[in-house]
Amino acid sequence: WNDKLVLSTENNGTRLYGFDDAGRIIAKPLATHEPLAPDMHTPVVVGHRLFGVFNKLHCLNVADLKPLWTVEDEAFSEYATIIASEEKLFITAQNGQLLLVDAKSDSFKLLSRLTVFPDESGVYAHPAIVGKKLYLRSSTHILCLEL
């Protein structure tokens, strides 16, 4: 992000690093946020916000990793995938739900929720957008949705 490096890991949470004049990473993080400690999930940056899932949906100010808001929901357990635009987040939850979230709101604003894979507890595949179609895969099915 900008001239910084954002890392999120299971053992160390989320950290923001800077670089010295020679382009080497500075070992001491500029900021940390331990509650966002995903095992497999990759957070995304939208503008100056970092969104990530680990036991809740986190929205952090990416410049200092301070929380702007968090929300607990059954969809935001240990893993989810996020596809982001400048205004919205598509979140595919491990439990088979697809959520559309406002990425610019000052608080959590759910725009839509759809259960795409009922009775699923292991949706780990990252979705893909091709044109105006969203492709999702569960442990047993592939689904294509018109956007």
Side-chain angles (χ1 to χ4, degrees):
W1 173 77
N2 289 344
D3 61 346
K4 309 288 187 287
L5 175 65
V6 179
L7 295 175
S8 290
T9 64
E10 176 183 17
N11 296 322
N12 297 304
T14 300
R15 299 162 323 279
L16 179 68
Y17 290 97
F19 296 90
D20 65 20
D21 292 337
R24 293 177 299 234
I25 192 166
I26 299 169
K28 184 177 179 183
L30 299 169
T32 62
H33 185 74
E34 292 183 16
L36 180 53
D39 179 28
M40 299 179 299
H41 159 76
T42 302
V44 299
V45 174
V46 177
H48 293 286
R49 294 176 176 203
L50 176 82
F51 294 93
V53 172
F54 185 69
N55 297 324
K56 53 181 86 171
L57 177 61
H58 299 257
C59 175
L60 309 177
N61 178 345
V62 72
D64 59 12
L65 300 182
K66 299 229 184 278
L68 298 173
W69 52 262
T70 59
V71 65
E72 292 186 34
D73 187 284
E74 65 180 346
F76 309 133
S77 62
E78 294 181 15
Y79 180 76
T81 61
I82 301 175
I83 295 177
S85 73
E86 292 180 15
E87 297 181 4
K88 296 181 178 84
L89 307 173
F90 265 128
I91 301 174
T92 307
Q94 184 177 341
N95 68 1
Q97 293 184 39
L98 178 64
L99 294 90
L100 185 62
V101 174
D102 185 336
K104 292 185 147 194
S105 180
D106 290 333
S107 61
F108 175 70
K109 184 174 179 185
L110 180 65
L111 302 173
S112 180
R113 179 190 304 255
L114 176 65
T115 300
V116 291
F117 298 116
D119 302 318
E120 180 67 61
S121 63
V123 177
Y124 294 103
H126 203 285
I129 295 177
V130 179
K132 293 186 177 186
K133 295 182 180 184
L134 176 68
Y135 292 89
L136 302 161
R137 183 174 63 86
S138 73
S139 57
T140 57
H141 293 85
I142 295 176
L143 179 66
C144 176
L145 300 173
E146 287 281 338
L147 299 176

